[in-house]
């Protein structure tokens, strides 16, 4: 159920960093969003891990905004909408995946939107006492998404809507995993195993280009989350984590070694069924994340790793891949499946 970050009473011994500020409190800590000048914009892009190849195009987009009043009005209207949503939880994104892509002169505007929002997002994090290192890792997903889009043969952001979670303060990267704050209601609660009429669960996401999905790396991320969320969001009693991903398709265990990172990751979770979402093949999901180009013939795809071979061989044999759900009790601490060997065989 959509809701703003709750304004709850705090226990007498709560530290200042653990007290959750209201939206109007942290908005006073930063000026209204605006784009920096060219030289400052270059530094701002570097601070968000934007690839160097994107910089000149974004500077040109900045110039178009200055010269085109209609384009600037279009941009500022969305900027006001997104700025007002910083600090909210569960609100509609208000931003299409390909926002501005079909607008004349709109190339690069989605990226500039998040650059303008970054000071407000950082102020929100500071007001919550969130370490600068976590803020940097979380907002750097902007640069990662641009790099992923380029790898997939596209320009600009492939999914601007996704990044609203980062810049509103709904999602945080803690090491190898990303954790999204979610408040469940209705049909979602039985699926995740929560028992109350209004429950909290952290949705897990696995960012690209962050190294092997090793048991040790996942353990460290979960251990950090165990401390992070009670400290910075004391009014949100998380009892579980959940995930929806092609990585949880049990068929992968038929093709990969039992000690592979993916299979060991699967074993952490109990199945999470969604009766209202019938299972249908989603072959493009693993192809998109592993190969980038979902249109290439299967025979032309690389076979360098165990997971690449597994995905292609299964499809060539007439099989399909599915997105599956999983649930993990929270907090989860320590290694789940034995020795956390750093296995590079499948990721």
């Amino acid at each position: 159920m959509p809701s703003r970050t709750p304004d709850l009473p705090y226990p007498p011994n709560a530290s200042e960093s653990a007290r959750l500020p209201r939206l109007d409190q942290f908005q006073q800590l930063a000026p209204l969003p605006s784009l920096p000048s060219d030289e400052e914009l270059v530094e701002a892009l570097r601070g968000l891990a934007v690839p160097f190849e994107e910089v000149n195009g974004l500077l040109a987009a900045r110039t178009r905004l200055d010269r085109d009043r209609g384009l600037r009005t279009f941009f500022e209207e969305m900027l006001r909408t997104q700025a007002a949503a910083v600090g909210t939880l569960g609100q509609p994104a208000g931003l299409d995946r390909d926002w501005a892509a079909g607008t004349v002169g709109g190339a690069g505007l989605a990226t500039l939107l998040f650059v303008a929002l970054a000071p407000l997002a950082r102020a929100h994090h500071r007001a919550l006492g969130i370490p600068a290192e976590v803020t940097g890792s979380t907002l750097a997903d902007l640069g990662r998404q641009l790099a992923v889009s380029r790898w997939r043969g596209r320009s600009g952001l492939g999914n601007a809507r996704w990044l609203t979670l980062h810049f509103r303060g709904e999602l945080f990267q803690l090491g190898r995993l990303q954790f999204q704050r979610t408040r469940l209601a209705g049909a979602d609660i039985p699926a995740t195993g929560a028992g109350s009429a209004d429950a909290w669960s952290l949705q897990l996401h696995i960012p690209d280009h962050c190294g092997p999905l090793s048991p040790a790396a996942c353990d460290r991320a979960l251990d950090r989350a165990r401390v992070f969320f009670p400290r910075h969001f004391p009014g949100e009693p998380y009892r579980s984590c959940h995930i929806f991903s092609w990585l949880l398709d049990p068929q992968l265990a038929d093709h990969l070694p039992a000690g592979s990172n993916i299979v060991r990751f699967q074993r952490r979770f109990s199945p999470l069924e969604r009766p209202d979402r019938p299972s249908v093949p989603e072959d493009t999901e693993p192809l998109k994340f592993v190969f980038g180009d979902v249109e290439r013939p299967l025979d032309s795809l690389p076979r360098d790793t165990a997971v690449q071979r597994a995905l292609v061989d299964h499809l060539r044999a007439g099989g399909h891949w599915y997105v599956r759900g999983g649930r993990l009790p929270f907090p989860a601490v320590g290694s789940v499946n034995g020795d956390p060997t750093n296995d590079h065989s499948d990721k």
Side-chain angles (χ1 to χ4, degrees):
M1 181 178 181
S3 65
R4 287 187 177 272
T5 302
D7 185 13
L8 299 174
Y10 305 105
N13 60 349
S15 67
E16 288 299 319
S17 64
R19 298 187 177 188
L20 196 61
R22 296 189 307 273
L23 183 61
D24 58 351
Q25 289 177 317
F26 75 78
Q27 281 184 326
Q28 295 172 6
L29 301 180
L32 290 176
S34 61
L35 281 171
S37 61
D38 282 357
E39 290 186 7
E40 293 173 337
L41 178 57
V42 172
E43 293 304 314
L45 293 172
R46 289 175 181 170
L48 294 166
V50 171
F52 290 124
E53 303 95 309
E54 304 286 339
V55 170
N56 286 342
L58 292 169
L59 290 173
R62 175 72 169 83
T63 299
R64 289 196 301 275
L65 279 177
D66 288 339
R67 294 176 177 175
D68 188 327
R69 183 175 179 180
L71 194 63
R72 186 167 64 251
T73 298
F74 170 76
F75 178 83
E76 289 175 349
E77 286 177 352
M78 180 55 71
L79 183 56
R80 280 193 293 271
T81 297
Q82 294 302 319
V86 174
T88 64
L89 179 64
Q91 298 282 4
L95 189 69
D96 293 335
R97 293 173 57 95
D98 57 353
W99 176 77
T103 303
V104 176
L109 292 195
T111 299
L112 293 181
L113 179 74
F114 293 110
V115 174
L117 285 170
L120 188 56
R122 291 190 180 103
H124 177 41
H125 283 205
R126 287 195 300 270
L128 294 171
I130 291 170
E133 176 269 327
V134 173
T135 300
S137 296
T138 300
L139 300 188
D141 209 17
L142 174 63
R144 181 184 297 113
Q145 294 305 313
L146 287 166
V148 168
S149 290
R150 186 176 285 266
W151 172 61
R152 292 175 180 167
R154 299 197 300 266
S155 60
L157 287 174
N159 186 358
R161 180 187 299 161
W162 160 247
L163 287 161
T164 62
L165 298 173
H166 306 59
F167 285 77
R168 292 180 180 189
E170 291 193 43
L171 179 146
F172 298 90
Q173 182 158 342
L174 303 173
R176 188 61 186 86
L177 301 175
Q178 293 170 331
F179 297 81
Q180 179 184 348
R181 299 159 53 218
T182 59
R183 191 174 189 176
L184 304 173
D188 291 318
I189 294 178
T192 55
S196 66
D198 194 22
W200 299 88
S201 181
L202 292 167
Q203 184 166 352
L204 302 182
H205 302 278
I206 304 167
D208 292 300
H209 306 305
C210 285
L213 191 66
S214 69
C218 293
D219 287 342
R220 287 192 294 269
L222 289 164
D223 288 348
R224 290 180 66 181
R226 177 191 181 188
V227 175
F228 179 88
F229 288 97
R231 174 178 296 166
H232 301 292
F233 300 95
E236 300 174 5
Y238 292 101
R239 297 291 181 264
S240 67
C241 299
H242 66 281
I243 184 172
F244 296 97
S245 174
W246 65 272
L247 287 168
L248 266 63
D249 188 331
Q251 297 177 108
L252 284 165
D254 297 332
H255 297 272
L256 298 175
S260 68
N261 287 338
I262 289 176
V263 173
R264 296 174 78 178
F265 184 75
Q266 289 183 342
R267 291 181 190 145
R268 294 176 181 270
F269 301 91
S270 57
L272 194 164
E273 301 296 335
R274 286 297 305 266
D276 58 326
R277 296 181 185 175
S279 180
V280 296
E282 298 191 55
D283 298 332
T284 59
E285 283 295 296
L287 294 179
K288 176 176 65 176
F289 285 103
V290 174
F291 300 105
D293 186 354
V294 300
E295 303 296 334
R296 286 177 60 181
L298 294 178
D299 290 343
S300 71
L301 295 175
R303 299 175 57 85
D304 300 327
T305 67
V307 71
Q308 288 176 341
R309 294 189 292 273
L311 294 178
V312 171
D313 290 347
H314 184 69
L315 292 173
R316 292 182 64 185
H320 293 286
W321 295 110
Y322 297 84
V323 170
R324 298 299 191 192
R327 177 180 179 272
L328 178 69
F330 185 81
V333 181
S335 181
V336 174
N337 294 305
D339 178 32
T341 303
N342 190 358
D343 174 13
H344 293 254
S345 63
D346 61 3
K347 189 69 175 169

